[in-house]
Amino acid sequence: MTEFCEYGVPQGSVLGPLFFTLYVAPTANIIDHHNVRHAQYADDTQLFVALESDSSLSDVNRCFCSLQRWFDINGLSLNPDKSEAIIFGTAARHRVEGGSIDSITLNNNTQIPVSKSVKSLGVVLDNSLSFDKHIEHVCKSANYHLRALRHIRKYLSTDDAATVATAMVSSRLDYCNAVLHGMSAKNIAKLQRIQNTLARSVSCSRRRDHIAPVLADLHWLPIAARIEFKIALLTFKTLTTQQPAYLHELLRIHSSGRQTRSSDHNFLAVNRVHTEFASRAFCHAAPTIWNCLPTNLTDDLNCSVAVFKRKLKTVLFSRSFPN
């Protein structure tokens, strides 16, 4: 006998994610009513608020309570065990470590402790945005698959080994790597060592061999260049499609009060920053990287994405391997 549920959608159904998104869409209005910014991805809802005063934290607490009441009325449940809270920033981090903010109140009986790191769509975010824990996670995962590749390497040709390496390891090094711009040289070196070891495994070169010719033969950009590649490509897509809107509003074509030689080029206005931490933001990193590209590449916004990617890789490849 078939049983029908009053709430929910069949698990694993094709339309399940769409139906769920439509069902919980009213929560966006509830969050906006409390002056709290948010982002939603399927069943993952994130709330953002600037801790400028104690009232900001009170807004979050009231927002949590309102969301919980809506979930209770509509047959859903807000699981405190799967909810996390974190405070980003140097000053806020010291407040957390000092014990002034150690939890967020969900209701009168339940509290969410403030964590030092959270995972969002596969990226581990720590409270100082150093990405140290994320790098550790990526290196651990990459090393696991790297060892697996070594076991079967002798049965594969060089082309097949390169394909497997790209699918199993390089994809992990490239995933969301745009957020790693401006990261410490120590963390960049950790990722570069993973790529170097992977290149040696694919090419069957010795450990003492210089790695630059090996990477060049495989046509692999170094880690730092791959980060610039991702940001430049994202900037190109944003300028040509004007999407996503929250990134497009951060990019402005540079304009000058007088006619200059750069007026005919698509240079972007670079926001002034006063700290190294602020220079990692997209509004500063994207224009900086974009303006350093050749003008014959950035001026042609009518070319396809495939053509731009090919030309961009050629430029970054020649910079990484000048000889």
Side-chain angles (χ1 to χ4, degrees):
M1 181 177 178
T2 304
E3 296 182 359
F4 295 93
C5 298
E6 184 178 357
Y7 301 102
V9 295
Q11 186 174 3
S13 63
V14 177
L15 295 177
L18 177 60
F19 286 152
F20 180 83
T21 302
L22 293 175
Y23 189 75
V24 300
T27 58
N29 296 329
I30 298 175
I31 299 172
D32 291 337
H33 178 72
H34 292 277
N35 298 321
V36 177
R37 301 184 65 180
H38 72 284
Q40 291 179 295
Y41 183 82
D43 61 343
D44 184 11
T45 301
Q46 300 175 357
L47 308 181
F48 306 95
V49 63
L51 292 180
E52 299 175 350
S53 62
D54 294 337
S55 61
S56 301
L57 193 58
S58 299
D59 291 339
V60 176
N61 292 337
R62 289 191 295 268
C63 184
F64 271 127
C65 294
S66 298
L67 286 175
Q68 189 175 32
R69 285 194 297 270
W70 188 92
F71 287 140
D72 291 339
I73 295 173
N74 291 274
L76 298 175
S77 176
L78 188 61
N79 191 345
D81 296 334
K82 293 185 178 180
S83 301
E84 297 178 292
I86 188 172
I87 301 179
F88 296 108
T90 304
R93 181 191 62 186
H94 292 319
R95 291 180 64 188
V96 174
E97 294 175 350
S100 58
I101 303 177
D102 55 359
S103 64
I104 303 296
T105 302
L106 185 59
N107 53 39
N108 294 332
N109 300 319
T110 306
Q111 291 184 333
I112 301 176
V114 175
S115 305
K116 292 185 178 181
S117 63
V118 297
K119 179 179 286 189
S120 176
L121 300 179
V123 179
V124 181
L125 305 173
D126 55 89
N127 53 13
S128 61
L129 292 180
S130 64
F131 291 100
D132 292 343
K133 293 185 179 295
H134 177 68
I135 297 302
E136 293 177 4
H137 173 74
V138 172
C139 291
K140 182 178 180 180
S141 176
N143 279 320
Y144 173 82
H145 293 284
L146 184 55
R147 288 191 296 268
L149 176 61
R150 287 174 174 173
H151 290 311
I152 62 173
R153 175 61 187 92
K154 60 183 178 181
Y155 304 108
L156 302 174
S157 64
T158 301
D159 292 339
D160 291 339
T163 301
V164 173
T166 300
M168 297 176 60
V169 182
S170 292
S171 59
R172 287 171 169 78
L173 299 179
D174 291 339
Y175 178 72
C176 289
N177 61 345
V179 301
L180 304 180
H181 175 75
M183 191 177 53
S184 65
K186 179 181 178 181
N187 284 332
I188 293 292
K190 289 181 180 179
L191 296 179
Q192 189 60 57
R193 283 194 292 269
I194 295 292
Q195 188 189 46
N196 294 347
T197 304
L198 182 64
R200 289 191 172 95
S201 298
V202 172
S203 62
C204 296
S205 58
R206 297 175 300 178
R207 186 174 181 179
R208 295 182 178 180
D209 293 342
H210 190 52
I211 194 60
V214 178
L215 293 176
D217 291 340
L218 293 173
H219 296 279
W220 288 0
L221 291 174
I223 295 298
R226 297 172 91 93
I227 295 175
E228 291 187 10
F229 179 90
K230 180 67 69 66
I231 296 177
L233 179 60
L234 184 59
T235 304
F236 174 79
K237 291 180 178 179
T238 303
L239 290 174
T240 54
T241 65
Q242 299 183 0
Q243 295 294 331
Y246 61 86
L247 290 183
H248 183 258
E249 65 184 13
L250 300 177
L251 301 177
R252 296 179 294 104
I253 299 297
H254 175 74
S255 60
S256 178
R258 54 190 180 87
Q259 186 68 22
T260 61
R261 287 181 296 178
S262 62
S263 301
D264 298 331
H265 302 295
N266 292 325
F267 288 123
L268 297 178
V270 181
N271 292 354
R272 291 185 178 182
V273 295
H274 302 286
T275 62
E276 183 178 354
F277 184 83
S279 66
R280 298 166 56 185
F282 181 81
C283 60
H284 179 82
T288 301
I289 294 176
W290 180 264
N291 293 344
C292 291
L293 296 175
T295 54
N296 59 354
L297 178 61
T298 57
D299 287 347
D300 187 10
L301 296 180
N302 294 321
C303 67
S304 64
V305 175
V307 172
F308 180 82
K309 289 173 65 176
R310 184 174 65 252
K311 293 181 178 179
L312 176 61
K313 184 175 180 180
T314 300
V315 171
L316 296 179
F317 191 88
S318 61
R319 292 180 181 178
S320 302
F321 310 104
N323 296 326

